[in-house]
């Protein structure tokens, strides 16, 4: 059989890793457990109607209108089209997201196409009044505890900065 060793014994499961054992003892397999982790921005108040905010954010080509507000020292080689955005974010490398679902006028769901850590991103926009709305960003990723410990602070800070930048856009 040309497949992975042990695939028939554990169909659909990640293959066990083998822990190093002291000399003379048998190595014991262990599994890397992934847990769903969720990171949320604070709720941002936006002085523009829900439909205007959704219309701008659901078409990524509108980024051109706000490119000058993005931190150029943090984001390099920004590329985008209607459904995809890619950035080089040192030291992480290239991150590419694609819109996979639009629920007009309240939610835009993204999925990573390329990233050191695969994740989903939701932008939720809800009405407050006829002329204002509120927005929250959510990232969900399956992370093992070690990786979560390393990325929790940067992801939490990053999602908050993105939410602040999106809240500062003039949605006219």
């Amino acid at each position: 059989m040309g497949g992975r060793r042990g695939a028939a014994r554990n169909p659909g499961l990640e293959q066990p890793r083998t822990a190093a054992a002291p000399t003379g003892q048998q190595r014991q397999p262990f599994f890397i457990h992934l847990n769903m982790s969720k990171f949320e921005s604070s709720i941002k108040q936006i002085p523009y109607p829900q439909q205007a905010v959704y219309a701008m954010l659901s078409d990524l080509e509108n980024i051109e209108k706000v490119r000058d507000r993005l931190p150029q020292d943090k984001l390099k080689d920004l590329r985008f089209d209607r459904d995809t955005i890619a950035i080089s974010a040192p030291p992480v490398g290239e991150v590419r997201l694609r819109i996979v679902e639009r629920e007009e006028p309240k939610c835009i769901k993204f999925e990573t196409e390329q990233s050191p850590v695969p994740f989903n991103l939701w932008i939720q926009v809800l009405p407050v009044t006829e002329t204002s709305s509120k927005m929250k960003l959510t990232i969900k990723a399956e992370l093992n505890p070690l990786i979560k410990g390393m990325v929790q602070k940067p992801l939490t800070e990053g999602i908050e900065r993105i939410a602040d930048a999106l809240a500062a856009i003039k949605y006219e």
Side-chain angles (χ1 to χ4, degrees):
M1 212 144 109
R4 295 186 321 228
R5 243 177 70 202
R9 289 183 303 223
N10 297 318
L13 295 176
E14 183 176 339
Q15 295 304 304
R17 308 278 192 248
T18 305
T23 307
Q25 293 183 0
Q26 186 176 10
R27 302 175 117 199
Q28 297 296 315
F30 67 93
F31 288 89
I32 297 174
H33 296 283
L34 301 177
N35 299 318
M36 185 58 70
S37 299
K38 184 161 114 175
F39 305 93
E40 296 178 319
S41 72
S42 59
I43 295 172
K44 305 297 179 183
Q45 300 299 318
I46 303 177
Y48 295 94
Q50 177 188 27
Q51 186 60 47
V53 175
Y54 177 86
M56 171 86 76
L57 297 178
S58 65
D59 182 349
L60 297 176
E61 289 179 337
N62 289 320
I63 291 172
E64 191 61 46
K65 298 174 185 174
V66 296
R67 186 188 282 263
D68 61 324
R69 293 198 188 136
L70 301 174
Q72 297 305 314
D73 60 324
K74 302 267 192 272
L75 305 174
K76 302 208 181 315
D77 303 323
L78 176 66
R79 299 176 315 283
F80 50 87
D81 60 28
R82 184 177 190 279
D83 296 323
T84 308
I85 182 168
I87 58 169
S88 290
V92 176
E94 181 166 290
V95 176
R96 188 170 49 243
L97 297 165
R98 172 175 296 283
I99 294 176
V100 293
E101 187 177 329
R102 291 175 174 91
E103 190 178 335
E104 188 171 355
K106 60 183 179 179
C107 186
I108 306 156
K109 182 180 177 183
F110 296 79
E111 190 174 85
T112 54
E113 285 188 337
Q114 180 177 337
S115 170
V117 177
F119 63 88
N120 289 329
L121 167 70
W122 285 263
I123 300 175
Q124 297 168 287
V125 183
L126 296 173
V128 175
T129 68
E130 285 187 21
T131 60
S132 68
S133 54
K134 59 186 177 180
M135 176 177 49
K136 179 171 81 169
L137 277 60
T138 304
I139 289 178
K140 285 188 180 178
E142 284 194 32
L143 303 171
N144 71 46
L146 177 64
I147 297 295
K148 182 177 180 179
M150 293 188 310
V151 302
Q152 185 166 359
K153 185 177 179 187
L155 275 177
T156 303
E157 291 172 354
I159 197 169
E160 194 65 32
R161 280 196 302 265
I162 293 167
D164 287 340
L166 294 177
I169 294 173
K170 293 186 181 345
Y171 293 96
E172 302 176 305

